[in-house]
Amino acid sequence: MNTHLPVADGRAVRKYVGTLARRHPTMLYGALALHVSAALAGLAAPRLLGGLVESVEQGTTAHHVDTIVALLAGFLVVQTVLTRFARYLSQVLGEQVLAELREDFVDNTLALPVGVVEDAGSGDLLTRTSRDVDQLGWSVRMALPEWTIAVITAVVTFVAALSVGWWVAIPCLLGAPPLVIGLRWYLKRAKDGYLRESATYSQINATLTETVEGARTVEALGLGPRRIAASDDDIAASYRAERYTLYLRTVFFPSMETSYLIPTVLTLLVGGYLYTQGEVSLGAVTTATLYVQMLIDPVDRIVSILDELQLGAASLARLLGVAQVPDDREVSGREPDGEHLEAEDVRFSYVEGRDVLHGVDLDIGVGERIAMVGPSGAGKSTLGRLLAGIHPPRTGSVTVGGVGLVELPLDDLRGHVALVTQEHHVFVGTLRENLVLARPGSSDDEVRAALDAVDALDWVDALDDGLDTEVGSGGRAVTAAQAQQLALARLVLADPHTLVLDEATSLIDPRAARHLERSLAAVLEGRTVIAIAHRLFSAHDADRVAVVEDGRIAELGSHDELVAAGGSYAALWDSWHGRG
Ligand code: ADP
C-alpha cells in the first residue's frame, strides 16, 4: 500500500520562496546590488571598443589606443572584484536559506502523523530526505545565483544595446520567437517529466526498503525472485522516465543554440545596411554587435539553468508537500484534569470503509492494571495504539482527564500515556542524548536515576566515557537487552502516568528476559498499565481483563469474574489450565 505523500503546487512553492527571500532582505538586496554593479562594469568594453574602431577609422595616436586598453583593463578588474563579492554574498545567502529549508523539512517530517508515515512507506520519505534535499541544495547553491546573475546581466546588456540605437531592438526581437517557442514546448513537458522521474526513484527506494525490511519474510517464503522482478520493473520504469527527459533535452538544446545566433547575424546585417546608408557610424555597429553577442551567454545560462531550476522546484514541491499532510491532531490548549483514561464509543479504520474497531468503551481506573487478551487480529494492538494517542479515533473519543489525546501537544501527550513495544531504537549520538530526548533538559542526576531504576547504571558506569559514550550506528554497539533498557529508562524520564504495553512480539533474548522483566516491573511501579497480553498467564495478575474479539470488547471483568461467567475467557483459561 503506497499512497505517496502529497506534492505542493506551484503557488505554494512560489509563496514559500517569497517568504524565504524576505527573511534576509539585507543580504538579498546587497547581493543584487553587487551583481548589477558588476554587470554595469562589464558594459564598458563594447563601448570602448566601438569608440576605438571609430577613432582608428578617423586616424588616431598610439597613446590614445594605450589609454583605451588601460581603461578596458581597469573595468575588467573592477568587474572581477565586484563579481567576486557578489558571488560570495549569494553563496552565504544560499547556504543560509538551505539550512532553514532543511530545518523546516525536518520539523515537518517529525510532525507527520504516524499513520501517514506507515501508509506512505519509508521509501518516499527517504527519497525526499536524500535525493530531493540534494537536488534542492544544488539548485539553491549554484543554479539560483547563476540564474539571477544571468537575468541581471541580460537585462542590463539589452538596455545598453538599445542605448546604441533603437534599430538594435529589431534583431533581438526577431531572435525571440524561436527561443520562446522552444522554451514553451520544453517547459510544458519538463515539469511532469521530472516529477515522474523523481517518483520512479521513490518507487525504487520503496521496493528496496520493503525488501530489506522484510528480508526474513522474503527468505522464508522464497519471494526472492519476485522481489527482484519488482525491482527490475521499477528500474525499467525509471529508465523510461529518464529517456523521456533526455529526449526533451535533445530537442530543446540544439534548437536553442540556433536561435542564439540569429540576433548577432541580424545585427551585423541591419547595422551594415544602415552604415552603407550613412545612418549609423561604424563604431555604433561594432558596439551594438558586441552587445548583442554578449547577450548570448546570459540568455543561454537563463535557459539552461531553467532546467536545473525546474528540477529544484520539483524537489521543493515534494519537500513542501510533506508539510501539507493534514495534521491528525489539533492542539486545543486544554489541560487534562487528573489521570483518568477513558475510551468512548471508539471506531477506527486503517483503510477507509473497513473499521477494525466497532465502538469500544473502556474506562480505566487510575493505577489499574488491565490485561487485553483475545485472538490474533482482533484489534488489541490497534486499541492499544489509540489508547496511547498514536492514532486518532475515526469517531468517538479517547480522553485523559477529560481532554482528548489528540488535543494534547505531542510532548505533553508522552508525559501522560506512552506506548511500550518491543521495538526500540538507539539513535546516533551519546547515551545522554539518547535518554534526554524523552525529556529535554533533564539533568545528569535525573538521567542516572532513570538508568538506575531500570538496572542499567552499572554497565553505563563501566563504560570509559559513561554517559558521553557514542552509540547508534557507527558508535559503540549495545546489546538488544541494553537497547531495551535504554528505552525503558527513557520512559522513566518521560514519566507518563499510564503505560500501554504491547508485547506483540515475544520478549527478546530469553537469557536477558528475567533481568529485563525486573527492569520493566520497576518502570510499571505506581502507574496505570494496559497490557496487551499475548500470553494468558499475565492476565491472571491483572485487576481486570478485557477480552477483545472482532474489534469489540466482548468480556470485561476480573479474572475470577470472567472464569465464573463461563464465556470465551473461561474457555481459554480452561484449555490452558483446566486440563493441565
Ligand atoms: P491484534 O493486536 O489483536 O492481533 P491488530 O490490532 O494488530 O490485532 O489488528 C486488527 C486488524 O487491523 C487486523 O485485521 C489487521 O489486519 C488490521 N491492521 C492492523 N494494522 C494495520 C495497518 N497498519 N494497516 C491496515 N490494517 C491493519
Side-chain angles (χ1 to χ4, degrees):
M1 192 170 47
N2 268 310
T3 7
H4 283 282
L5 295 164
V7 174
D9 62 10
R11 212 164 52 92
V13 172
R14 278 192 296 277
K15 194 168 145 228
Y16 185 77
V17 171
T19 8
L20 277 184
R22 274 195 297 278
R23 272 193 219 163
H24 307 282
T26 331
M27 261 202 261
L28 180 67
Y29 292 121
L32 287 180
L34 282 170
H35 282 307
V36 170
S37 316
L40 285 174
L43 294 178
R47 285 266 170 201
L48 290 170
L49 288 173
L52 188 62
V53 168
E54 204 130 315
S55 44
V56 167
E57 192 191 21
Q58 288 154 11
T60 185
T61 62
H63 178 70
H64 180 67
V65 176
D66 286 348
T67 318
I68 300 236
V69 170
L71 272 175
L72 271 176
F75 274 110
L76 198 64
V77 170
V78 171
Q79 191 188 8
T80 310
V81 172
L82 285 173
T83 307
R84 189 251 172 225
F85 284 106
R87 285 187 180 236
Y88 175 74
L89 207 54
S90 341
Q91 295 281 321
V92 173
L93 180 63
E95 290 300 331
Q96 180 90 29
V97 167
L98 206 57
E100 286 167 16
L101 246 158
R102 282 209 164 108
E103 280 169 15
D104 284 355
F105 176 68
V106 170
D107 285 346
N108 292 333
T109 308
L110 293 181
L112 279 178
V114 184
V116 172
V117 178
E118 284 189 350
D119 285 353
S122 32
D124 195 10
L125 209 51
L126 271 183
T127 307
R128 292 188 195 210
T129 34
S130 53
R131 209 175 166 279
D132 286 326
V133 168
D134 283 349
Q135 176 62 53
L136 190 66
W138 205 92
S139 297
V140 171
R141 283 202 188 96
M142 302 299 299
L144 200 57
E146 284 294 318
W147 197 75
T148 318
I149 297 171
V151 169
I152 292 172
T153 316
V155 170
V156 169
T157 312
F158 183 65
V159 171
L162 285 187
S163 74
V164 175
W166 60 267
W167 57 273
V168 186
I170 301 172
C172 293
L173 290 181
L174 286 177
L179 195 74
V180 172
I181 293 171
L183 203 57
R184 287 185 64 121
W185 177 87
Y186 177 74
L187 291 184
K188 211 174 99 189
R189 291 161 179 77
K191 181 152 176 267
D192 287 342
Y194 288 120
L195 274 181
R196 195 159 55 230
E197 204 178 283
S198 305
T200 63
Y201 296 134
S202 285
Q203 191 54 50
I204 292 179
N205 260 334
T207 308
L208 204 61
T209 35
E210 259 169 37
T211 309
V212 173
E213 281 169 6
R216 279 166 207 277
T217 320
V218 168
E219 228 159 64
L221 301 181
L223 297 177
R226 232 190 280 175
R227 297 306 298 173
I228 291 172
S231 279
D232 282 346
D233 286 348
D234 291 343
I235 292 168
S238 181
Y239 176 78
R240 280 194 301 277
E242 292 227 29
R243 261 194 81 114
Y244 177 71
T245 55
L246 183 65
Y247 152 75
L248 294 181
R249 292 192 292 271
T250 51
V251 173
F252 175 59
F253 286 116
S255 71
M256 288 299 99
E257 294 296 329
T258 319
S259 32
Y260 294 150
L261 286 177
I262 299 172
T264 317
V265 174
L266 285 181
T267 310
L268 260 183
L269 282 176
V270 175
Y273 173 75
L274 290 176
Y275 174 69
T276 57
Q277 300 298 304
E279 299 276 337
V280 297
S281 68
L282 203 54
V285 178
T286 312
T287 308
T289 312
L290 287 175
Y291 275 147
V292 173
Q293 187 167 17
M294 261 174 70
L295 269 174
I296 293 182
D297 180 53
V299 169
D300 179 47
R301 268 188 291 154
I302 290 174
V303 169
S304 52
I305 297 173
L306 261 188
D307 196 43
E308 291 292 342
L309 280 185
Q310 283 232 314
L311 283 177
S315 288
L316 183 57
R318 287 157 54 77
L319 292 182
L320 291 182
V322 173
Q324 292 184 338
V325 174
D327 203 351
D328 60 359
R329 320 182 53 81
E330 199 175 327
V331 173
S332 69
R334 290 201 293 150
E335 282 291 322
D337 173 22
E339 306 180 346
H340 177 211
L341 187 66
E342 185 173 13
E344 263 182 304
D345 194 27
V346 165
R347 288 164 205 277
F348 179 79
S349 62
Y350 290 101
V351 186
E352 206 164 296
R354 254 194 285 155
D355 277 3
V356 294
L357 294 180
H358 313 277
V360 173
D361 291 298
L362 189 59
D363 188 337
I364 299 149
V366 175
E368 196 181 13
R369 302 275 158 118
I370 291 198
M372 259 200 268
V373 298
S376 171
K380 300 182 296 294
S381 298
T382 307
L383 182 55
R385 292 162 72 86
L386 264 80
L387 289 174
I390 290 185
H391 296 299
R394 185 174 66 72
T395 62
S397 64
V398 182
T399 54
V400 61
V403 177
L405 293 185
V406 285
E407 295 173 49
L408 296 173
L410 276 178
D411 288 345
D412 288 1
L413 174 66
R414 295 292 157 252
H416 288 286
V417 201
L419 179 72
V420 188
T421 63
Q422 304 293 325
E423 259 178 72
H424 36 70
H425 188 76
V426 178
F427 296 92
V428 175
T430 63
L431 276 177
R432 181 186 292 103
E433 285 162 348
N434 258 283
L435 293 166
V436 298
L437 58 89
R439 183 172 290 271
S442 306
S443 68
D444 273 11
D445 285 343
E446 288 165 325
V447 170
R448 292 173 59 82
L451 285 170
D452 197 22
V454 299
D455 232 356
L457 195 56
D458 288 347
W459 65 261
V460 171
D461 276 344
L463 297 172
D464 286 342
D465 295 326
L467 287 177
D468 291 314
T469 309
E470 295 277 344
V471 290
S473 63
R476 193 195 151 83
V478 293
T479 67
Q482 288 172 337
Q484 181 118 37
Q485 282 182 326
L486 292 180
L488 290 175
R490 264 184 220 137
L491 272 183
V492 175
L493 277 177
D495 195 22
H497 54 70
T498 302
L499 290 174
V500 180
L501 300 183
D502 191 346
E503 319 170 344
T505 47
S506 63
L507 264 176
I508 45 151
D509 191 1
R511 277 165 302 161
R514 183 176 296 276
H515 188 65
L516 274 177
E517 251 159 32
R518 266 211 314 275
S519 308
L520 184 62
V523 175
L524 298 187
E525 186 65 39
R527 301 180 208 273
T528 310
V529 179
I530 301 138
I532 299 169
H534 296 262
R535 291 156 303 168
L536 220 44
F537 52 82
S538 50
H540 186 209
D541 308 324
D543 296 321
R544 278 192 297 167
V545 178
V547 182
V548 180
E549 273 170 5
D550 227 357
R552 290 184 179 81
I553 294 191
E555 292 170 32
L556 181 65
S558 71
H559 169 78
D560 294 336
E561 284 165 11
L562 292 189
V563 169
S568 52
Y569 181 78
L572 271 175
W573 184 254
D574 267 0
S575 72
W576 263 71
H577 286 266
R579 296 164 226 141

